[in-house]
Amino acid sequence: MVRVPLTPEDHERGRLLGLALRDARGDRPMTEVAAAVGMSPETLRKIESGRVPTPAFFTVAALAEELAVPLADLVATCDASRRALGVVS
């Protein structure tokens, strides 16, 4: 199976998702949050920096729950980037 390359919009959504998760983490250590959701700190670092622009849904859901961020808020953040880029679904 061939994976379709990510678009600039995909990368921008991932960047904004990462920023939102990083902001929600606040002063909590990355290692603490990563351990709480069962991932490595390096994976969390990559998500927060946008290097993993399309993390798995259940990864995002676990982070959102741990950070007390409604999934709807994260969706709105990413959807706002689509509107700003002129992408309409």
Side-chain angles (χ1 to χ4, degrees):
M1 182 170 135
V2 176
R3 182 173 178 171
V4 177
L6 298 177
T7 66
E9 292 84 9
D10 294 329
H11 287 282
E12 179 62 8
R13 280 193 306 273
R15 186 185 72 79
L16 292 174
L17 173 64
L19 287 174
L21 291 170
R22 173 59 190 100
D23 287 346
R25 184 166 57 83
D27 293 334
R28 288 182 66 187
M30 183 179 288
T31 53
E32 177 186 304
V33 173
V37 298
M39 70 172 54
S40 72
E42 181 59 24
T43 298
L44 180 54
R45 182 178 295 108
K46 288 176 181 178
I47 292 169
E48 287 183 352
S49 69
R51 287 181 49 210
V52 176
T54 58
F57 171 78
F58 290 105
T59 299
V60 175
L63 287 167
E65 182 176 354
E66 179 63 27
L67 298 171
V69 177
L71 280 174
D73 290 357
L74 294 176
V75 170
T77 297
C78 294
D79 193 44
S81 75
R82 291 174 53 87
R83 287 192 301 275
L85 292 167
V87 177
V88 179
S89 47

